Amino acid sequence: MTGKRYILIELFLVIILSYLLINLFLTYNREQTVSSNIVVEEKICYLTFDDGPSKNTEKILDILAEYDAKATFFLLGCELSEEKRPVLERIIKEGHEVGLHSNIHKYDKLYADEETCLKDFDSEYQVLKEEYGVDTKLLRFPGGSTCVCLKGRRESFINTMRENGFRCFDWHVSGEDSVGNPTVWSIQKNVFDWVFNYNYPIVLLHDSKIADTTVEALPGILEKVKEAGYSFETLEERDEYLFRLKK
């Protein structure tokens, strides 16, 4: 009887062990199946630079190339010249995008009325197309679409631009690199405080001739945003975006 008892106990233990192994195998496979079905949410950062081209534009292009990042440059017509043609050609050649940021950038004159504003942007558009071979309808209002000089007339100005084929872009995040006395730390902090709140943020920075600090801050911005899982594309790939008015 004793021998039979041991045999029954061993058989029972084998059954229990088999049961545990089978459940462990099934649990593992279920976890693997669930993991394989997890969709990683896409995150794209749209870097934009206003007020160029300048000597800093070339430095920014060098940094963007190092990090394999694309950007959109909203150019001022008054900064275009034959001397800067190579910079413009490089922007296009390296897969970046060009946008319109007006000729004069003086709010009182630019926003005198819709006709004046439209003529200014259309003039810049024609110069870029005919003299530089760049055909772009991307547009950014100096000061943004909520500029104080547009107060009460914002929608009519926007509609006029849209009716003439332009696509208008404001921004979600500003480095505040053209305000006061920015530092590398302040520019990076302004970006990091907001950029991670969005999956598709548009970031405002500057590449004007006085934007040396922006050049210094850019590598740190690219590194941290890239580490967070963002890729960098141009606004040509994005829907139009404008500020929402507070009610």
Side-chain angles (χ1 to χ4, degrees), residues 61-158:
L61 287 170
D62 290 339
I63 297 169
L64 293 174
E66 182 181 346
Y67 287 87
D68 191 27
K70 303 305 177 190
T72 303
F73 293 84
F74 285 98
L75 308 180
L76 290 175
C78 59
E79 293 295 338
L80 294 174
S81 66
E82 194 61 29
E83 180 185 358
K84 295 175 183 175
R85 180 183 291 273
V87 181
L88 193 52
E89 291 176 345
R90 184 181 171 190
I91 289 173
I92 301 303
K93 182 180 179 181
E94 295 184 6
H96 305 290
E97 197 64 49
V98 168
L100 309 167
H101 198 43
S102 82
N103 283 309
I104 53 178
H105 205 277
K106 294 181 179 179
Y107 299 171
D108 56 340
K109 293 182 178 180
L110 181 65
Y111 300 132
D113 53 61
E114 292 170 40
E115 184 179 358
T116 299
C117 187
L118 177 60
K119 283 183 177 179
D120 183 280
F121 276 107
D122 189 60
S123 171
E124 185 183 12
Y125 166 77
Q126 295 296 338
V127 168
L128 280 169
K129 184 178 180 181
E130 295 170 10
E131 297 185 21
Y132 296 90
V134 177
D135 190 345
T136 179
K137 285 285 188 173
L138 305 181
L139 177 153
R140 173 170 284 162
F141 291 108
S145 68
T146 54
C147 176
V148 65
C149 292
L150 281 172
K151 189 175 182 179
R153 303 177 296 158
R154 176 181 187 261
E155 292 305 316
S156 60
F157 271 71
I158 290 171

Side-chain angles (χ1 to χ4, degrees), residues 169-231:
F169 290 91
D170 285 323
W171 55 90
H172 301 91
V173 183
S174 173
E176 298 297 306
D177 56 335
S178 66
V179 180
N181 298 299
T183 65
V184 169
W185 179 84
S186 71
I187 294 170
Q188 292 179 344
K189 183 180 185 302
N190 287 328
V191 173
F192 299 151
D193 280 351
W194 293 98
V195 70
F196 304 118
N197 295 332
Y198 306 93
N199 283 343
Y200 304 98
I202 299 173
V203 178
L204 169 64
L205 295 168
H206 292 79
D207 64 325
S208 63
K209 58 188 176 184
I210 60 171
D212 303 87
T213 312
T214 303
V215 175
E216 295 178 50
L218 186 57
I221 293 172
L222 288 165
E223 286 175 13
K224 193 164 183 177
V225 174
K226 200 167 188 177
E227 283 175 4
Y230 290 81
S231 59

